Amino acid sequence: MIVGKKIEDGKELTKTKKLGFFTRPKYVYIPLICQSDRDITTIVKKGEYVYKGSIVGKRKGAYRLPIYSSVSGTVVDFVEKKHIDGSLVKCVVIENDFKEKLEEKQAVRKSINDYSKQEFIKRLQECGIVGMGGSGFPTYLKYNTSKKLRTLIVDAVECEPYITADVSLIKEKCEEILEAIDAIMEINGIKECFIGIKKDSKIIELLENYLGTYPKIKIAIVPNIYPMGWERYLVKYVKKTNYKLLPLEKGIVVNNISTIYAIYEALKYNKPIIERIVTFTGEMLKSPQNVYVKVGTSVRDVIEFIGGYKRNKDVVIIAGGPMMGKSIDDDDFVVTANLNCVVVMKEQKKEEVLNCFRCGKCVSICPSRLSPVLIKDSLKNIDNLKELRPEKCIECGLCSFVCPSKINIRGCVIEGKRKVFKERGDTK
């Protein structure tokens, strides 16, 4: 059974707006972080000239991925900037020379279907392709297996309120996205693909204009509930099956639509993730819109570019969507490969938090089948916490959303999750 909730989505603020482009920031701040791993080897020095697409750092630990400059210019400093999780992270500051110079011109691949599987995996790894829907998980790992892959599910659901970055991308790059899906299938011997999408006649119509050329690619219309874009829900709804840990157990790979396009650019142009579309939205922005930006661009600069705030007092700024995102103190943070949205809302008067009266709503709504209220009550008892499995939480926020007592249950479960990971010696 799939549980969820239809939520007022706020997508009308940006859904029909023309895509904006802010690709000439004076400075970029490239975060030296990969997922949550900050153990990064810096390979550039202050005063050094770097090219667009130059490697500025490399992850040391597992799943080694490179980190790239999104502009050409000079390394002028190393500073700490806020990351999208609100913490400070070391960044390489590069002054843009606006020349977009590449160290060496890459030949455009005529056919992206003729990679071997090994070449395909190597290209994804070398280009630093990660999940762009928010996870930041290294994409090559999903394909680096000897297990037979049978099904590709492309997540175009974008179920969280306000976010329309993927819809905007489909409008701009529909043909390229389908070309990439076809290449991924042929290279990996995948026999079928389903594009999971909510009932949106314009987007479906756009896709169907091209699907006749790709008979193995089908559209799967999914319910308009949150969190329908969760990987486990998509697999369950589209393929009517469950898995224990990973979709790979069933021969299934799930990729976000923006990740698919990043794969296209990697295969076609050998281009790493140095740019992406981000939704800038919310009632407190003068001109909400989707914007194509460089990775490392200051969010403050982008907001100024699109017209600024209606009022910059009494606002709440969220990195990510309003359900799963993180509230940030101010707009002094930077765009990363896995930042899909920035929401600026009017600060609400704090509601009185009441004692839990055991209504059970958080338990009945939890997509991971957890007991959030019991996790909240067990934060000081690690043995109880481990039995309650808070690490299974996907941080969707539905428990807090439905709580009549206005308790921040999501925050409690995340705290429990971290305590269990710490107890196990896990660095997540």
Side-chain angles (χ1 to χ4, degrees):
M1 178 182 174
I2 290 177
V3 297
K5 191 170 182 64
K6 185 171 173 57
I7 301 174
E8 288 296 322
D9 60 15
K11 294 180 187 285
E12 71 283 351
L13 289 172
T14 57
K15 197 170 185 178
T16 60
K17 297 278 187 71
K18 186 177 179 182
L19 179 66
F21 289 82
F22 183 59
T23 56
R24 292 174 63 81
K26 185 175 181 181
Y27 297 97
V28 292
Y29 306 85
I30 307 299
L32 295 174
I33 186 170
C34 191
Q35 279 188 289
S36 59
D37 189 354
R38 297 161 190 259
D39 189 14
I40 306 295
T41 299
T42 307
I43 57 175
V44 292
K45 298 177 181 178
K46 191 173 178 178
E48 185 176 342
Y49 186 84
V50 295
Y51 295 89
K52 177 182 174 181
S54 291
I55 297 174
V56 297
K58 284 187 177 180
R59 188 176 187 172
K60 293 179 183 177
Y63 319 139
R64 294 184 181 183
L65 289 177
I67 297 170
Y68 294 91
S69 171
S70 56
V71 299
S72 60
T74 304
V75 176
V76 293
D77 209 349
F78 295 89
V79 300
E80 287 191 327
K81 281 275 190 182
K82 286 196 193 79
H83 190 243
I84 60 173
D85 65 2
S87 66
L88 291 173
V89 64
K90 184 180 177 183
C91 297
V92 181
V93 187
I94 302 168
E95 185 174 5
N96 191 357
D97 66 4
F98 306 108
K99 295 179 180 179
E100 300 283 296
K101 290 175 69 175
L102 300 170
E103 190 165 7
E104 54 183 66
K105 192 171 182 179
Q106 296 291 336
V108 177
R109 190 95 170 203
K110 195 168 185 180
S111 171
I112 62 172
N113 292 56
D114 58 6
Y115 284 84
S116 68
K117 182 167 181 175
Q118 290 71 30
E119 289 172 333
F120 170 80
I121 291 167
K122 185 179 179 183
R123 178 59 60 90
L124 298 194
Q125 185 175 15
E126 289 179 343
C127 287
I129 307 301
V130 297
M132 297 177 71
S135 72
F137 184 77
T139 303
Y140 80 93
L141 291 172
K142 294 189 174 187
Y143 295 93
N144 190 18
T145 176
S146 58
K147 190 173 181 65
K148 174 65 177 172
L149 299 178
R150 299 182 177 86
T151 305
L152 172 62
I153 298 178
V154 178
D155 180 2
V157 180
E158 212 160 37
C159 63
E160 190 160 1
Y162 287 93
I163 308 174
T164 59
D166 284 348
V167 168
S168 180
L169 180 60
I170 294 171
K171 289 178 181 177
E172 294 287 325
K173 301 292 181 181
C174 187
E175 290 180 82
E176 291 88 344
I177 288 166
L178 294 174
E179 185 180 343
I181 293 170
D182 183 65
I184 292 167
M185 293 175 70
E186 184 171 340
I187 292 165
N188 292 278
I190 297 171
K191 300 301 182 186
E192 61 179 5
C193 172
F194 298 93
I195 301 176
I197 194 165
K198 291 183 295 188
K199 190 173 183 180
D200 184 321
S201 58
K202 291 183 180 178
I203 297 301
I204 292 173
E205 183 181 344
L206 179 60
L207 288 166
E208 287 179 339
N209 285 339
Y210 300 101
L211 281 182
T213 314
Y214 303 103
K216 294 180 181 179
I217 305 174
K218 309 292 183 186
I219 291 173
I221 297 176
V222 302
N224 185 14
I225 60 171
Y226 176 81
M228 192 62 230
W230 180 30
E231 186 173 77
R232 192 174 290 274
Y233 268 12
L234 272 177
V235 171
K236 185 176 180 62
Y237 191 85
V238 173
K239 290 297 293 179
K240 308 295 188 279
T241 188
N242 290 306
Y243 56 87
K244 187 177 180 182
L245 296 174
L246 298 169
L248 184 60
E249 297 160 20
K250 303 288 185 175
I252 299 170
V253 174
V254 182
N255 284 142
N256 164 267
I257 200 85
S258 291
T259 307
I260 293 288
Y261 183 67
I263 292 173
Y264 170 81
E265 292 199 304
L267 299 180
K268 190 77 173 179
Y269 307 110
N270 196 25
K271 181 180 176 181
I273 300 179
I274 53 175
E275 295 152 341
R276 68 156 298 148
I277 295 175
V278 180
T279 301
F280 285 82
T281 187
E283 61 183 17
M284 297 308 291
L285 288 180
K286 287 182 180 178
S287 182
Q289 59 189 271
N290 286 292
V291 188
Y292 188 77
V293 293
K294 301 274 190 183
V295 169
T297 301
S298 165
V299 166
R300 179 174 294 171
D301 290 347
V302 183
I303 290 175
E304 183 180 343
F305 168 76
I306 64 174
Y309 301 98
K310 288 181 180 177
R311 186 178 74 241
N312 60 6
K313 294 181 179 179
D314 305 319
V315 299
V316 175
I317 301 172
I318 302 168
M323 297 297 290
M324 297 186 74
K326 173 76 175 178
S327 178
I328 309 291
D329 292 338
D330 54 40
D331 56 15
D332 189 24
F333 61 103
V334 298
V335 173
T336 59
N338 59 328
L339 176 68
N340 55 5
C341 184
V342 175
V343 186
V344 184
M345 307 175 76
K346 185 177 180 180
E347 187 175 23
Q348 300 297 311
K349 183 179 178 182
K350 288 188 177 181
E351 298 181 275
E352 183 183 0
V353 177
L354 305 175
N355 291 328
C356 172
F357 53 89
R358 295 305 197 256
C359 67
K361 286 187 176 182
C362 63
V363 178
S364 62
I365 200 70
C366 179
S368 297
R369 300 291 190 271
L370 299 177
S371 297
V373 64
L374 296 183
I375 293 170
K376 175 186 76 69
D377 292 344
S378 301
L379 289 177
K380 294 182 180 179
N381 188 323
I382 191 64
D383 292 328
N384 283 356
L385 267 183
K386 287 191 287 187
E387 289 182 11
L388 291 166
R389 304 294 301 278
E391 69 276 13
K392 291 174 64 180
C393 171
I394 63 169
E395 304 182 18
C396 70
L398 277 174
C399 52
S400 293
F401 186 80
V402 300
C403 178
S405 294
K406 307 304 177 186
I407 300 168
N408 180 16
I409 307 178
R410 176 181 183 255
C412 294
V413 177
I414 291 173
E415 183 182 345
K417 185 177 183 178
R418 288 173 180 161
K419 285 187 174 185
V420 169
F421 282 142
K422 185 177 180 180
E423 174 74 9
R424 294 176 180 171
D426 197 319
T427 57
K428 291 181 183 178

